[in-house]
Each structure stands twice: as structure tokens, then as C-alpha cells.
């Protein structure tokens, strides 16, 4: 028996965390130590088609224009398919074809867009019609940050204390605030330690307990700045938060050094541009690529300044975006 419903395609954005997720209180369930807040990115996208077919003898995972990398490896994808199969009570094997419009494994959160797109496409192809909350819970089990790529716009991942209570919600729609995230890609080298592995070290930092004891207050402030659209306070906090996460990484045992010379150069330039009157803040995850956050009015200038830096290989401009959605056109 072959049904058209056994095939579905989804598009999902990556997201940039303003309050970061770094450390789990439950590895298997991917329950984070703390809640986090992010914005979906309009131009960092994964498209994934999943087809369950009784004729397939094994699961087949194909990445177009990309190598499999250790953050979204084949084994993790098949484990995720198993979760969805068991939920849908089917045993059929699948073909998965996925493509990113950006380099993966360089700190641009390809696991977020990847697992969000996979969750929506695979669950629908398996005949499930899940509510948004259930989709975010399922996406979280694939990769924590992926749960924030399911709802629209600005999202909050509520840390919770069980699988059912750890999910993401939209706190503002994409058109709430016209801020821009300009990504500067400085290298397409893959990071050496994946987020999953790196996070296991968070607790070994002497500063981890300090960070975790103050994080709820930080979340409160960030939400307040978002609510009143205070860009300066917001940007300062976002930048400080990125550096605090990197302080935890750097002081882990063994230490993790994700910041590369090229990213550091841009961080210094951001500080300089600020003194010249262009308001812009940086944030970065587990890779050398760096995100610059500015208001729409400064977008052109920041783009121009970035394009004059020889180390910058590619610039991707993102607005706040909708979350994961189904597409009618399939990749195969
Ligand atoms: C630094 O979501 O990739 O980007 O749950 O193990 O897949 P796993 O980790 P992942 O970690 C993302 C870490 C981060 C910060 C963030 O996006 O909040």
C-alpha cells in the first residue's frame, strides 16, 4: 500500500539565541538547565522531504550540497525517525532528503533548522497531525535548540522539569520588531567539538553555578527589554550573554575555545563601530561565524562595513521569521 500522505516536505529556519542554552539537566530527554529565548532567522533555512515507503529496505538519508556533519549525523536522524515511527505506530522505512541554504556545522545552528524541518516533515509523512506544542517537544528530543525553530518569530523555550513541560512558545510574531541579524561567515571549517559534546562540560566550569543561579533574572530582563523595545539595553544584554556562555566554555575542563581570530576581529570592530555611532551588537554560538544584531535603519551601513573585511567570506541578512511550515513541493 502506498499513500501520498506518506510523503511530506517542511521548511524550517535556524534561530539565534539571545539567552543561550548551554547545559542539560537530563541528557536523554534533552532537558536544559535553563530556559532560553531566540529569534527565528529568515535566511538560514533547511528544507527536508521525508517519505515512508514499504518498498524501502532501510532508512536512507541524503544531504544535498552538503556533507553529513557530526551535529546532524545520520544516526541521530534515524533515531529521530524511530521516535516518530513509534509515535505513529508504523514500522516503514524512510527516505530523507535535506538541504541547507547555508554551511552547516560552523556555528550557524544547522541542527536547529534541521531537526525542526525533520520533525514536521516526518511526523506529517507518518500521518500524525500534531499540535505546535507536541512538535516542539518532539523537535527538542532531536536537538534542544530545534524546539525554538517550530513556533513563529521570537520564541521562548520553557525549561520545564519533564519532557511534557519543556517546550517552546512564540512570545512575539515576526513583524513585532524590525531588528536584523547579519551573519558574517568567516570560514566553512567544521567545529571540532559538537554542541552536544561541548555542553556536557558546562558543569565543570567554576562559573557554571553562578551563571545558572542568575539566569532566570536575566531572562526576566531580556523579556522586559523586548516588551518595551529598548534596543540598547537589549543589545547590551545579548552581547553580555554570548560572552558569558563563552566564558563557561573557556573555563570548562577540558577547555573549549570556539572563538576564532576572525570572529574576535569582528567583535573588536563592532565595538569600534559603536563608538562611531552605528549601534550594533554581536552574539555567537559554537562556531567561528558571528551574528551582528542591529536595527533596520543601520542594516545597509553594517553590511557595507562587514563587506570591507577580507576575512568575511559571505554575509547573510536575516529578519525575524515564521517558524517551521509545510511546503507543497517535494525535494524528490
Ligand atoms: C550554543 O541545540 O545544538 O547554539 O541539544 O545537544 O543538539 P543539542 O544542542 P544544540 O545546542 C545549541 C547551543 C547554542 C546555544 C543556543 O542555541 O541556545
Amino acid at each position: 500500500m502506498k499513500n501520498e500522505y506518506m510523503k511530506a516536505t517542511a521548511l524550517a529556519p535556524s534561530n539565534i539565541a539571545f539567552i543561550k542554552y548551554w547545559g542539560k539537566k537530563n541528557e536523554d530527554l534533552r532537558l536544559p538547565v535553563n530556559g532560553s529565548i531566540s529569534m527565528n532567522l529568515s535566511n538560514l533555512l533547511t528544507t527536508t522531504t521525508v517519505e515512508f515507503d514499504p518498498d524501502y529496505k532501510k532508512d536512507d538519508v541524503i544531504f544535498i550540497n552538503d556533507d553529513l556533519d557530526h551535529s546532524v549525523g545520520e544516526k541521530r536522524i534515524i533515531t529521530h525517525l524511530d521516535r516518530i515511527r513509534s509515535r505513529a505506530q508504523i514500522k516503514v522505512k524512510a527516505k530523507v532528503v535535506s538541504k541547507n541554504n547555508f554551511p552547516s556545522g560552523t556555528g550557524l545552528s544547522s541542527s536547529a533548522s534541521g531537526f525542526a524541518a525533520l520533525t514536521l516533515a516526518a511526523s506529517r509523512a507518518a500521518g500524525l497531525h500534531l499540535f505546535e506544542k507536541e512538535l516542539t517537544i518532539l523537535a527538542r528530543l532531536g536537538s534542544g535548540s530545534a524546539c525554538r525553530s517550530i513556533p513563529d518569530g521570537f520564541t521562548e523555550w520553557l525549561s520545564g522539569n519533564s519532557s511534557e513541560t519543556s517546550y517552546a512558545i512564540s512570545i512575539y510574531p515576526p513583524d513585532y520588531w524590525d531588528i536584523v541579524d547579519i551573519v558574517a561567515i568567516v570560514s566553512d571549517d567544521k567545529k571540532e567539538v559538537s554542541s552536544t559534546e561541548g555542553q556536557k562540560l558546562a558543569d565543570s566550569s567554576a562559573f557554571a553555578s553562578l551563571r545558572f543561579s542568575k539566569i532566570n533574572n536575566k531572562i526576566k530582563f531580556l523579556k522586559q527589554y523586548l516588551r518595551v523595545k529598548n534596543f540598547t539595553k537589549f543589545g547590551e544584554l545579548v552581547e553580555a550573554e554570548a560572552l558569558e556562555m563563552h566564558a563557561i566554555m573557556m573555563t570548562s575542563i577540558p577547555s573549549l575555545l570556539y572563538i576564532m581570530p576572525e570572529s574576535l576581529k569582528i567583535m573588536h570592530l563592532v565595538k569600534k563601530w559603536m563608538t562611531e555611532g552605528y549601534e550594533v551588537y554581536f552574539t555567537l554560538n559554537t562556531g567561528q561565524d558571528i551574528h551582528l544584531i542591529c536595527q533596520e535603519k543601520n542594516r545597509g551601513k553594517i553590511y557595507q562595513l562587514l563587506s570591507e573585511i577580507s576575512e568575511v567570506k559571505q554575509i547573510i541578512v536575516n529578519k525575524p521569521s515564521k517558524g517551521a511550515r509545510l511546503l507543497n513541493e517535494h525535494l524528490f
Side-chain angles (χ1 to χ4, degrees):
M1 168 204 72
K2 244 186 191 181
N3 290 320
E4 185 50 29
Y5 78 79
M6 295 186 93
K7 185 171 190 175
T9 299
L11 173 77
S14 182
N15 65 73
I16 182 66
F18 300 134
I19 298 288
K20 308 286 189 184
Y21 148 55
W22 194 252
K24 298 179 179 69
K25 59 189 173 211
N26 182 318
E27 283 287 330
D28 294 338
L29 295 178
R30 287 196 145 76
L31 297 183
V33 176
N34 57 276
S36 50
I37 295 180
S38 68
M39 176 179 107
N40 283 322
L41 301 171
S42 61
N43 223 353
L44 291 180
L45 303 166
T46 300
T47 307
T48 301
T49 298
V50 179
E51 181 179 47
F52 291 100
D53 189 327
D55 290 345
Y56 294 145
K57 299 280 171 287
K58 63 175 193 53
D59 291 319
D60 195 12
V61 179
I62 298 162
F63 278 73
I64 300 175
N65 300 335
D66 202 6
D67 300 329
L68 282 176
D69 70 74
H70 44 222
S71 59
V72 194
E74 189 173 6
K75 203 163 148 267
R76 249 173 103 175
I77 289 171
I78 293 174
T79 304
H80 204 55
L81 289 174
D82 287 340
R83 282 185 192 109
I84 289 161
R85 275 189 282 250
S86 107
R87 180 84 173 248
Q89 298 188 315
I90 58 169
K91 288 195 168 8
V92 193
K93 298 290 181 202
K95 178 172 174 181
V96 176
V97 175
S98 192
K99 78 171 190 217
N100 289 341
N101 72 339
F102 59 94
S104 66
T106 63
L108 289 177
S109 306
S110 55
S111 69
S113 53
F115 277 100
L118 179 68
T119 302
L120 181 55
S123 60
R124 189 54 73 95
L128 295 167
H129 289 257
L130 302 175
F131 289 117
E132 182 181 277
K133 178 177 167 182
E134 297 174 287
L135 284 169
T136 78
I137 291 171
L138 207 45
R140 187 202 79 232
L141 291 164
S143 177
S145 54
C147 73
R148 299 186 310 235
S149 286
I150 298 279
D152 288 343
F154 297 81
T155 73
E156 177 172 12
W157 175 5
L158 307 162
S159 61
N161 47 26
S162 63
S163 197
E164 289 310 301
T165 53
S166 186
Y167 59 95
I169 53 168
S170 176
I171 49 176
Y172 294 108
D175 61 0
Y176 172 71
W177 204 11
D178 58 352
I179 59 174
V180 185
D181 175 324
I182 307 181
V183 176
I185 297 180
V186 292
S187 159
D188 50 18
D189 290 350
K190 304 267 188 254
K191 58 194 173 198
E192 275 165 20
V193 182
S194 71
S195 301
T196 305
E197 288 310 307
Q199 285 198 38
K200 291 181 184 159
L201 301 173
D203 272 338
S204 68
S205 163
F207 303 113
S209 53
L210 181 65
R211 166 170 170 76
F212 296 140
S213 72
K214 291 183 178 285
I215 196 83
N216 285 339
N217 221 25
K218 217 180 200 183
I219 291 174
K220 202 177 83 196
F221 277 113
L222 191 101
K223 284 170 81 171
Q224 188 188 322
Y225 301 149
L226 262 176
R227 185 163 46 80
V228 300
K229 298 185 185 169
N230 184 332
F231 185 68
T232 301
K233 291 273 187 208
F234 169 79
E236 286 170 355
L237 192 59
V238 165
E239 204 172 279
E241 164 65 357
L243 289 173
E244 184 175 293
M245 178 181 70
H246 280 272
I248 299 289
M249 293 163 167
M250 286 187 227
T251 53
S252 295
I253 301 171
S255 60
L256 289 167
L257 269 182
Y258 287 114
I259 299 180
M260 300 302 280
E262 299 88 346
S263 15
L264 195 57
K265 176 173 173 179
I266 296 172
M267 289 155 84
H268 282 288
L269 283 169
V270 164
K271 296 273 184 200
K272 181 169 160 275
W273 298 337
M274 284 287 282
T275 65
E276 292 167 358
Y278 304 111
E279 189 170 21
V280 54
Y281 302 92
F282 62 76
T283 179
L284 70 172
N285 291 334
T286 48
Q288 57 276 65
D289 300 324
I290 181 156
H291 296 246
L292 302 195
I293 313 288
C294 67
Q295 289 161 297
E296 177 61 36
K297 62 178 183 195
N298 282 325
R299 164 165 60 141
K301 185 68 194 175
I302 301 301
Y303 188 98
Q304 182 216 321
L305 288 166
L306 271 179
S307 53
E308 287 163 5
I309 302 171
S310 59
E311 288 87 348
V312 174
K313 300 207 162 55
Q314 195 185 340
I315 303 172
I316 303 174
V317 179
N318 297 283
K319 295 177 173 191
S321 138
K322 287 175 72 167
R325 55 231 184 241
L326 290 164
L327 299 181
N328 291 327
E329 260 180 46
H330 303 307
L331 292 177
F332 64 94

